[in-house]
Amino acid sequence: PSDIGGALDGGLPNSSGDFGIPKGDRPGEVMQRASLTTIWAYDTGWLIIFRGAPTYATAQIPPEDVAIVDSLVRATPASWRNATEETIVSMPTQVARFRAGGDSIDVIVATEPPTNAIREQTTRNALIRADYWLFAPDTSVRLHDSSSVRNENARAWRTRVAPGVYAYRTEVTSEGAMIAGMSTDSINATGSGASGFTTRGEDISDVMLVARVDDKPGAARWTDLNVEPTAGTVAKNGQIALVWENYGLGQTDGSAKYGITITIERRYRSTLNRIRARVIGVMAAMVGVENTGDRVVYRYERSVAHAPVVLDYLTLQLEDAPSGDYRLTIDVTDHVTGKVMTRVQGFLIR
């Protein structure tokens, strides 16, 4: 229509920022120009025309266009095609179980939040929040903890539970960030199944991976050590410490005698980059080492004063081990009873 062309001619924004004011006109005269037209043009091809001066709440859709606009709104009341989808990052997580008083079990869940990635999308002082839920066997919330996150270090929670199958969920979020972290899985705190955990008799705990552990003579339980559980990740050429407990070992002449086999292997075999690692801070005598490229095996022998719980810990120095997923297996052989107990823990070299 001719009036649209007339409005667009000279109706572009001028230096004062007033849209639709023809060149040479005074601002007060805009209210008197009924032919002023505003057009909303969408990428979908829609054009919606308004007649009247903008910014004064007087512009209207022409009567002959109202039915057309209504039909468009009914056909597509909303569109989210230009909205960015949130990215959910699966956070590395470690779960470890230890016997506690009576038949109870201490469950430790440690996860590594994507703090740096979240901060890249928010202001530096934005609050990053970590939430942890532990669900009981009847799906009720056994524990919910919420706290702020300030760095990339692993965040760990410890809960004492009765035997049962539990589930956990961790989330790390920040207001306005389009990236968040999440981890969820089940925890078998019963004596049944391949991943079962007994509360009585001869057995070993899970292997808890920690950033470091200092030698502490006289430590009887893992809680006597000053440890920081990790999410099962370690930097290349870095160190990772192992902590576990042995329960109900047999005795002879007041001593517990047992062998330890530690196996480190890649989850996915490779013909390149042999695994190189060494054990430091050992509390036992080394018997032998086997290195077959994708796997390294250490064997130790221990003879200690017998106790209901015997604590073990050592540190691995990863020397040029290539990045990737690894499996760590600990076999404890009781030389008195002949029983062999095994735990497997995965870890990642970044």
Side-chain angles (χ1 to χ4, degrees):
S2 59
D3 57 347
I4 297 179
L8 292 180
D9 182 18
L12 298 177
N14 57 25
S15 60
S16 66
D18 297 319
F19 180 82
I21 300 178
K23 296 177 181 178
D25 286 1
R26 295 189 300 274
E29 296 178 353
V30 176
M31 294 293 293
Q32 301 174 7
R33 293 188 63 88
S35 63
L36 195 63
T37 302
T38 302
I39 299 177
W40 287 2
Y42 291 85
D43 292 340
T44 56
W46 298 354
L47 288 176
I48 299 181
I49 300 172
F50 299 89
R51 301 277 177 81
T55 75
Y56 291 95
T58 58
Q60 298 179 346
I61 298 174
E64 60 270 22
D65 293 346
V66 171
I68 298 175
V69 173
D70 286 344
S71 66
L72 294 175
V73 173
R74 285 195 301 270
T76 309
S79 175
W80 304 98
R81 283 175 295 183
N82 63 335
T84 303
E85 292 185 0
E86 185 176 24
T87 301
I88 306 299
V89 177
S90 180
M91 298 186 295
T93 305
Q94 174 195 194
V95 177
R97 301 161 297 179
F98 291 86
R99 289 184 185 178
D103 285 334
S104 60
I105 300 168
D106 279 340
V107 174
I108 298 91
V109 177
T111 191
E112 190 173 289
T115 308
N116 290 341
I118 292 176
R119 288 209 186 281
E120 289 178 358
Q121 299 191 7
T122 58
T123 58
R124 181 167 294 275
N125 60 349
L127 175 65
I128 299 179
R129 167 175 166 168
D131 284 279
Y132 170 73
W133 292 268
L134 183 68
F135 300 96
D138 62 357
T139 70
S140 63
V141 177
R142 175 69 172 77
L143 172 69
H144 177 210
D145 177 77
S146 180
S147 58
S148 61
V149 178
R150 303 187 182 278
N151 51 50
E152 285 277 322
N153 295 340
R155 180 72 173 88
W157 295 267
R158 172 188 170 192
T159 313
R160 184 160 296 181
V161 300
V165 178
Y166 296 81
Y168 73 86
R169 180 182 179 91
T170 62
E171 294 181 358
V172 176
T173 58
S174 181
E175 188 74 24
M178 295 307 295
I179 186 171
M182 189 266 292
S183 177
T184 183
D185 205 347
S186 61
I187 302 173
N188 184 2
T190 70
S192 61
S195 62
F197 188 82
T198 62
T199 58
R200 298 184 182 185
E202 190 174 8
D203 204 351
I204 61 175
S205 71
D206 287 330
V207 180
M208 183 168 63
L209 306 180
V210 301
R212 59 174 294 174
V213 57
D214 297 324
D215 190 14
K216 187 176 182 180
R221 301 297 304 269
W222 75 273
T223 50
D224 297 331
L225 302 173
N226 183 20
V227 297
E228 296 180 3
T230 73
T233 64
V234 59
K236 192 173 183 179
N237 301 322
Q239 292 184 357
I240 190 168
L242 322 178
V243 177
W244 77 94
E245 293 180 342
N246 309 279
Y247 306 118
L249 295 174
Q251 62 173 315
T252 177
D253 299 328
S255 298
K257 301 179 184 296
Y258 58 98
I260 303 172
T261 301
I262 301 173
T263 304
I264 305 172
E265 57 187 336
R266 293 190 210 167
R267 290 181 181 236
Y268 307 102
R269 293 188 175 274
S270 173
T271 58
L272 302 175
N273 300 324
R274 294 169 61 91
I275 298 175
R276 294 180 57 196
R278 60 188 174 92
V279 178
I280 59 179
V282 180
M283 300 189 303
M286 181 182 293
V287 175
V289 179
E290 298 177 12
N291 195 321
T292 58
D294 281 325
R295 187 174 75 162
V296 59
V297 180
Y298 300 95
R299 292 187 173 86
Y300 300 89
E301 291 294 330
R302 290 209 68 192
S303 179
V304 299
H306 183 268
V309 179
V310 176
L311 175 67
D312 273 315
Y313 54 89
L314 55 85
T315 302
L316 292 172
Q317 174 67 53
L318 302 170
E319 299 178 333
D320 297 328
S323 59
D325 290 326
Y326 287 78
R327 179 185 295 108
L328 184 145
T329 304
I330 288 189
D331 297 300
V332 176
T333 302
D334 189 337
H335 295 322
V336 178
T337 66
K339 185 174 181 178
V340 179
M341 297 153 286
T342 301
R343 292 292 176 193
V344 179
Q345 182 66 276
F347 69 96
L348 173 70
I349 297 180
R350 297 191 298 272

